[in-house]
Amino acid sequence: MPKKDLMKGVEVVHKLPGRKPKPAMRAIDPDEIRRQVAPFADRLPSQTAPTAVTSTTDKPLRGEVLPPAPQSLDEFDAAISEELVRARKSYLRIGELLSVADETLQPEQRAELVKRLGARFDLKKSALTQMMKAFRAIRSGRIPEVVASAGYTAVYTLANLDDESREKAKSAGLFRSGVRQADVRAFVQELKAPRNDKGKKEALEAELERLLARVEKVRAELAQFS
């Protein structure tokens, strides 16, 4: 007689140990997210659109809002002249730093500084010296600050004039705003012209005396044959 299967018809269910049913997902609260993100919002770059700028370029230089682009000849002349004046005046700050360096550093350090600047920016020692002395001339009041827009070479040249020549420069209207370097150069050339003529005259007179002395010597030698 066959044995009866006692497990026949019984369904066996296998359960994994330690696994719990997943809880239901909590709904996302937008207000809670805003509260959590709020402390970090100020640290993020602004997402607002930039202020519109009326310019020939897409972006303002150095973050500045540019004025409307010039259109007429006079507007271009004024805008470019303003930038040139600003660029020329910037040498005063360079001259100031050079002046402080001249008073602070040791001689070998000053020489090394000039060497580095000269190599990096293709500047001669004379240019750096002129910037420094131009700054000192304006700082001391020897040259009015309004002349600074003419450039460091013009200021340096005027500062090196003697007292009499400097007074003539004032009378000629060179110590004013808007004076050009070409005006200063022409003035200095006029100052030198009389001196050059005087030197030439003296040289000619000396040559004449030498020739007359030679003539007298030749006449004396000829007299021996008479």
Side-chain angles (χ1 to χ4, degrees):
M1 181 177 182
K3 293 183 179 181
K4 186 178 181 179
D5 188 358
L6 297 178
M7 298 299 296
K8 186 176 181 180
V10 178
E11 182 180 0
V12 179
V13 178
H14 297 279
K15 294 183 179 181
L16 297 176
R19 177 173 293 184
K20 296 181 180 180
K22 295 182 179 180
M25 182 176 293
R26 184 168 57 91
I28 298 176
D29 184 358
D31 293 332
E32 182 180 353
I33 294 177
R34 293 191 188 97
R35 287 193 297 271
Q36 293 176 355
V37 174
F40 305 96
D42 294 337
R43 305 180 187 179
L44 300 176
S46 174
Q47 300 300 319
T48 57
T51 305
V53 177
T54 305
S55 171
T56 56
T57 57
D58 295 333
K59 296 181 180 180
L61 299 176
R62 301 181 299 278
E64 299 172 354
V65 178
L66 298 180
Q71 300 294 329
S72 66
L73 169 63
D74 291 340
E75 289 175 349
F76 276 110
D77 179 45
I80 295 174
S81 296
E82 182 180 354
E83 293 299 329
L84 288 173
V85 169
R86 184 182 294 114
R88 285 183 173 179
K89 283 188 175 181
S90 66
Y91 74 82
L92 290 178
R93 175 57 178 163
I94 299 174
E96 180 181 11
L97 291 170
L98 289 169
S99 181
V100 175
D102 185 61
E103 298 167 355
T104 305
L105 301 178
Q106 298 297 323
E108 62 275 9
Q109 293 176 317
R110 294 197 299 268
E112 177 63 21
L113 176 63
V114 171
K115 180 181 178 181
R116 291 183 184 182
L117 295 174
R120 189 177 302 128
F121 299 102
D122 193 22
L123 282 172
K124 294 182 179 180
K125 179 181 178 181
S126 58
L128 296 172
T129 300
Q130 288 182 13
M131 289 185 199
M132 180 182 69
K133 292 188 175 181
F135 162 74
R136 289 177 175 177
I138 291 179
R139 180 185 61 181
S140 65
R142 183 176 178 86
I143 303 297
E145 188 173 355
V146 294
V147 185
S149 60
Y152 66 87
T153 300
V155 175
Y156 171 80
T157 301
L158 292 173
N160 276 356
L161 295 175
D162 55 44
D163 293 341
E164 181 182 356
S165 299
R166 199 163 62 256
E167 288 299 323
K168 291 181 180 179
K170 289 181 181 179
S171 301
L174 297 181
F175 285 11
R176 60 176 173 80
S177 176
V179 66
R180 301 178 305 166
Q181 183 173 324
D183 299 332
V184 176
R185 187 163 50 246
F187 172 79
V188 172
Q189 289 176 350
E190 290 180 2
L191 284 179
K192 292 181 178 180
R195 297 178 183 178
N196 291 340
D197 291 344
K198 182 179 179 180
K200 185 176 181 179
K201 180 182 178 182
E202 292 176 349
L204 290 174
E205 289 175 346
E207 179 68 11
L208 178 60
E209 291 180 0
R210 186 184 67 80
L211 291 175
L212 291 175
R214 177 59 179 165
V215 170
E216 290 298 326
K217 183 178 180 180
V218 171
R219 283 179 177 173
E221 291 177 356
L222 287 175
Q224 298 177 1
F225 299 95
S226 58

